[in-house]
Amino acid sequence: MSDLLPLTDETIWAIVDETLENSLEDQRVNELVWYHLGYRYNSDNRTWDISQAIDDWGEVYPEPPDFIDSRPATLKLTRSIPPENKQLLKQELGFKGYKIGEFGPRQTRRATMANWLLSYRKLQPPIQS
């Protein structure tokens, strides 16, 4: 996996708004979600370690899914967001949504991934200094 980006508002916007200069490629967005789901790639033996995968992700997907191409995986990701966090893109970032005719499944799935990452970030305990 390439170097992971921090879960900042800037990173989330780079996922959602593909028109930004620093927009993220689909693969990098997938890698970010995979990492926070607990998937780790072992480059020595070229396998995925699922021992840290949260919930049942490692059982359902022994290899991390491509969320852009997999509607079932994206639905599972959506369902794993707690109800109180379903609107974080709008609440925290002021995301207005996409305009009709300017989006398709790919953009919707990227927005789902961004919202899941926001929810993940919100659920993490504060860092103690």
Side-chain angles (χ1 to χ4, degrees):
M1 266 191 246
S2 58
D3 293 330
L4 291 174
L5 296 169
L7 293 182
T8 62
D9 290 355
E10 182 178 87
T11 299
I12 302 302
W13 273 117
I15 294 169
V16 174
D17 190 357
E18 295 180 89
T19 62
L20 292 177
E21 186 175 311
N22 63 344
S23 177
L24 297 177
E25 296 290 327
D26 291 344
Q27 180 65 23
R28 292 213 55 206
V29 180
N30 270 317
E31 289 173 359
L32 197 56
V33 175
W34 296 339
Y35 180 83
H36 293 294
L37 282 171
Y39 288 93
R40 300 296 182 270
Y41 187 71
N42 183 327
S43 57
D44 292 336
N45 63 13
R46 298 181 180 174
T47 60
W48 285 97
D49 176 1
I50 58 172
S51 64
Q52 298 178 51
I54 61 174
D55 301 327
D56 66 346
W57 279 95
E59 295 167 25
V60 176
Y61 295 100
E63 292 195 6
D66 180 346
F67 290 103
I68 302 301
D69 288 334
S70 175
R71 184 175 183 272
T74 305
L75 286 174
K76 181 173 174 49
L77 195 66
T78 300
R79 290 180 181 136
S80 73
I81 301 171
E84 64 274 13
N85 292 349
K86 296 274 187 194
Q87 298 295 318
L88 287 179
L89 274 176
K90 292 179 183 179
Q91 294 168 348
E92 290 194 4
L93 298 185
F95 180 63
K96 304 285 187 214
Y98 297 108
K99 295 177 183 172
I100 293 178
E102 295 182 358
F103 71 97
R106 185 171 166 276
Q107 289 77 19
T108 302
R109 291 173 186 165
R110 286 176 65 97
T112 297
M113 295 163 75
N115 200 65
W116 185 86
L117 289 166
L118 279 172
S119 178
Y120 176 87
R121 181 177 79 177
K122 187 175 185 103
L123 295 171
Q124 297 311 296
I127 298 172
Q128 302 294 321
S129 50

